[in-house]
Amino acid sequence: MKIYSTLSGRKEEFSPHDPVRMYVCGVTPYDDSHFGHALSYIVFDAVRRYLEFRDYRVRHVQNFTDIDDKIIGRAKVRGVPVKELVDGLIADYFKDMDSLNILRAHVYPRVTEEMPQIIDMVRGLVDKGYAYQLGGDIYFRVRSRPDYGKLSRRKLEEMSAGARLEVDLAKEHPMDFALWKAAKPGEPSWESPWGLGRPGWHIECSAMSLRYLGDALDIHGGGQDLIFPHHENEIAQSEAFTGQAPLVRYWMHNGLVQLGEAKMSKSLGNLVTVREARARYSSDAIRLFVLSSHYRRPLTYSEEGLQSMERGAERLRLALRPSPAGGAAIEVGEHRQRFIEAMDDDFNTPQAVAVLFELAREINRGREEGLGLTAALGDLRELGGVLGLTFEKVKGALQVAPFRELLDETLKALAVSEPFVGEAAEVALMAKNSSPDECILELIELRKRLRAARQWALADRIRAGLGELGVSLEDTPQGTVWRRAT
RNA sequence: GGCGACGUGGCCAAGUGGUUAAGGCGGGGGUCUGCAAAACCCCUAUCGGCGGUUCGAAUCCGCCCGUCGCCUCCA
């Protein structure tokens, strides 16, 4: 199994600890989760599920950066305490991610609950000469690390040259970054050896990954936008603190979501939230959309793309329809093998998805030939599950009224066509207090009688009417079945 | 300005030196069906441009054109 690491710029053979130490950068909860978050966490969810599928044990840690300028600002705007804002948004985060069938990490450390560890680390860095105090602030001395820039492939000289920096002249080097920031009046703060303050942005991930996973991680994941400065700084301070390198064996960075011409981001305001996306598309459709392109490539959000994946998801679901136990089983070992080969190659989910569709075709073909499908169906479900597919189509409840109306209209139409009036009245009575499902079944029953009498115009009108209400009919040898249209 | 990524059929998207260039969606034709639906079968690309390396390139090198990301908060 090979994984591409940003640090080496190459695919490398995967040889992790047991259990695999996997740290994924979490969100800063100051607003709703958007599609970019969905992409990142779907990707790393697939990574984790695949590792577990391959019998690795995985210890998965993901943080919440629950204190920072944006959070403080947002809390002020909304007039609520920081803690209240953050707790609510974290609850929403879990709701959103659950709705995408994303497995929960084993630990979700929060910055505000890790202060002693963070302060210890900052103090250690000061003691070892890697950081210095400036007023109530502590800065990391980037020049103390000769390999600073190794992840993002930058050199300090190049960066300080053209960068847009508000230069704090007191800092020893413009790129020195804050480990600890002195408290501003009215903002949340914590006691430290340097007075009241709060942690800088990067230090928490170093402190928390060290605490929960140790000083040598296997996988560290996040979006490509975190490579610099966040992960670069994490490497610098962690490796300086522990004296242990490399901090991470496999740096995995997912490509960013684009919306139209530009990156989707909070600051640009061109967001599609997870909730909005989820209201329109099934979890499977969203996951297929994301996983049909390689995780290291940018992905352009598009309604058309999601819609086409919704149809694809339906195709997979239909392939899983139960089938009577048939004769000789169809051969599917090859698909399983190709799925594994694809995923072993740096999580090539687009190829893995392709294998799923090919397996679905194989199943449908076998079904037509009356072959045994049990093993094949099991494989499709299992391999799809590795990509986090549920094969469920959860939709809002149908409203009964339109179906009652359609039933009434149909009965009225039937009133002028003799042989059915009696039966129709009977049915109408039965339908009086029925649910949408019962209405649909009544309509199907009426249509069945009409078809038996070769009254196709009326029969087709029922089908069309149901179609307009989002219900599609399928006449099979076993009778007529209905399902929610995609 | 510095660093990096990308440009494959109508749309999306794998492939990254050598048999027929995956897969999805869409489109066309057929089978099944009263008609549909679903499903199956068949068809629908020579890989941004130019030049080079090679017996052989979408796949390596150079130049050009175009798109995007990072360098500042960000998954």
Side-chain angles (χ1 to χ4, degrees):
Chain A
M1 178 169 179
K2 286 183 160 53
I3 297 182
Y4 178 96
S5 176
T6 307
L7 185 58
S8 65
R10 286 197 309 256
K11 290 178 190 173
E12 294 176 42
E13 192 57 40
F14 186 54
S15 55
H17 298 87
D18 176 38
V20 178
R21 304 170 184 176
M22 175 166 159
Y23 187 92
V24 179
C25 273
V27 296
T28 299
Y30 74 91
D31 208 341
D32 293 326
S33 300
H34 59 73
F35 204 86
H37 298 125
L39 177 139
S40 192
Y41 300 119
I42 285 171
V43 162
F44 289 106
D45 184 59
V47 166
R48 169 167 163 200
R49 286 175 187 268
Y50 183 67
L51 292 176
E52 291 177 343
F53 170 75
R54 293 303 304 274
D55 294 326
Y56 289 101
R57 296 190 302 159
V58 178
R59 182 163 165 83
H60 176 190
V61 178
Q62 184 175 317
N63 66 290
F64 283 113
T65 302
D66 63 349
I67 183 69
D68 95 320
D69 292 342
K70 293 235 163 100
I71 291 174
I72 293 168
R74 185 60 57 95
K76 211 168 279 176
V77 168
R78 293 201 189 167
V80 297
V82 164
K83 172 106 173 110
E84 186 182 320
L85 175 78
V86 161
D87 285 351
L89 288 170
I90 288 177
D92 290 345
Y93 169 86
F94 283 124
K95 231 179 274 174
D96 287 341
M97 296 303 142
D98 288 351
S99 82
L100 293 169
N101 196 32
I102 289 167
L103 293 174
R104 300 263 179 130
H106 301 103
V107 188
Y108 284 98
R110 294 169 58 155
V111 176
T112 58
E113 295 168 0
E114 304 286 331
M115 274 318 152
Q117 288 72 30
I118 291 171
I119 289 169
D120 277 356
M121 194 164 193
V122 175
R123 184 173 22 211
L125 288 167
V126 172
D127 290 348
K128 291 176 186 173
Y130 291 111
Y132 56 94
Q133 183 164 3
L134 209 59
D137 299 338
I138 304 293
Y139 288 97
F140 187 87
R141 185 175 276 134
V142 289
R143 274 187 305 205
S144 67
R145 304 300 296 175
D147 59 358
Y148 185 79
K150 65 181 173 183
L151 181 69
S152 51
R153 293 183 174 71
R154 292 152 210 249
K155 297 195 177 75
L156 273 178
E157 312 82 69
E158 292 167 354
M159 281 186 277
S160 30
R164 300 161 273 170
L165 293 166
E166 58 177 87
V167 180
D168 181 345
L169 291 176
K171 284 201 290 186
E172 292 179 7
H173 185 99
M175 297 307 291
D176 287 351
F177 56 91
L179 298 175
W180 188 263
K181 298 154 90 164
K184 291 177 194 153
E187 293 188 349
S189 58
W190 287 260
E191 273 295 349
S192 80
W194 320 283
L196 287 174
R198 60 186 164 92
W201 174 32
H202 317 292
I203 192 68
E204 91 266 15
C205 280
S206 285
M208 296 188 286
S209 64
L210 179 62
R211 178 175 185 193
Y212 294 101
L213 293 170
D215 59 10
L217 313 187
D218 294 305
I219 293 173
H220 189 135
Q224 284 173 347
D225 51 353
L226 296 180
I227 294 172
F228 191 91
H230 187 53
H231 289 159
E232 192 70 62
N233 290 350
E234 235 179 288
I235 289 176
Q237 65 204 4
S238 284
E239 293 183 353
F241 181 77
T242 65
Q244 158 74 36
L247 167 66
V248 173
R249 280 294 302 284
Y250 310 94
W251 279 101
M252 295 183 66
H253 292 100
N254 60 269
L256 304 179
V257 172
Q258 315 249 133
L259 188 59
E261 300 297 270
K263 179 182 78 166
M264 182 182 289
S265 80
K266 292 176 180 177
S267 48
L268 292 177
N270 56 345
L271 295 174
V272 176
T273 64
V274 172
R275 202 170 316 144
E276 286 163 350
R278 203 48 195 74
R280 301 200 54 187
Y281 308 104
S282 67
S283 168
D284 284 359
I286 292 171
R287 293 189 73 117
L288 284 172
F289 179 68
V290 166
L291 297 175
S292 285
S293 109
H294 189 82
Y295 77 89
R296 280 190 278 117
R297 301 250 186 285
L299 176 66
T300 301
Y301 180 92
S302 102
E303 300 292 339
E304 304 74 53
L306 263 331
Q307 279 162 16
S308 80
M309 283 308 153
E310 192 67 83
R311 294 189 198 101
E314 183 71 353
R315 182 171 156 75
L316 295 178
R317 285 181 204 117
L318 291 174
L320 281 174
R321 283 188 284 197
S323 187
I330 65 172
E331 180 51 55
V332 291
E334 182 209 332
H335 292 90
R336 200 180 177 82
Q337 197 46 46
R338 286 200 291 135
F339 180 92
I340 289 170
E341 281 166 16
M343 291 296 280
D344 269 0
D345 183 16
D346 191 32
F347 307 101
N348 193 327
T349 56
Q351 279 186 352
V353 167
V355 171
L356 255 36
F357 279 103
E358 285 167 8
L359 179 54
R361 174 181 292 113
E362 211 54 50
I363 286 170
N364 288 327
R365 205 179 290 163
R367 196 190 320 267
E368 290 197 341
E369 292 169 16
L371 299 177
L373 301 178
T374 311
L377 291 173
D379 275 3
L380 179 52
R381 193 170 283 286
E382 183 186 12
L383 298 179
V386 171
L387 299 183
L389 302 181
T390 64
F391 302 107
E392 282 163 21
K393 178 164 58 177
V394 183
K395 294 215 155 197
L398 289 168
Q399 297 299 306
V400 70
F403 291 94
R404 298 291 290 273
E405 209 171 297
L406 179 61
L407 191 51
D408 283 346
E409 278 172 27
T410 305
L411 291 169
K412 240 176 260 172
L414 283 179
V416 295
S417 107
E418 279 302 318
F420 304 98
V421 176
E423 290 161 348
E426 193 182 320
V427 169
L429 219 61
M430 286 164 50
K432 197 155 190 178
N433 287 308
S434 55
S435 64
D437 290 37
E438 285 167 325
C439 284
I440 292 167
L441 291 177
E442 302 290 0
L443 284 160
I444 287 175
E445 179 59 26
L446 283 174
R447 178 168 167 274
K448 181 180 169 189
R449 294 173 194 217
L450 288 164
R451 291 180 71 217
R454 309 178 68 81
Q455 294 272 11
W456 284 307
L458 280 168
D460 290 351
R461 218 203 285 181
I462 291 174
R463 185 170 61 197
L466 284 171
E468 279 169 30
L469 299 178
V471 169
S472 58
L473 298 187
E474 212 173 300
D475 298 321
T476 76
Q478 288 79 38
T480 300
V481 296
W482 70 273
R483 62 190 165 84
R484 301 286 294 276
T486 45

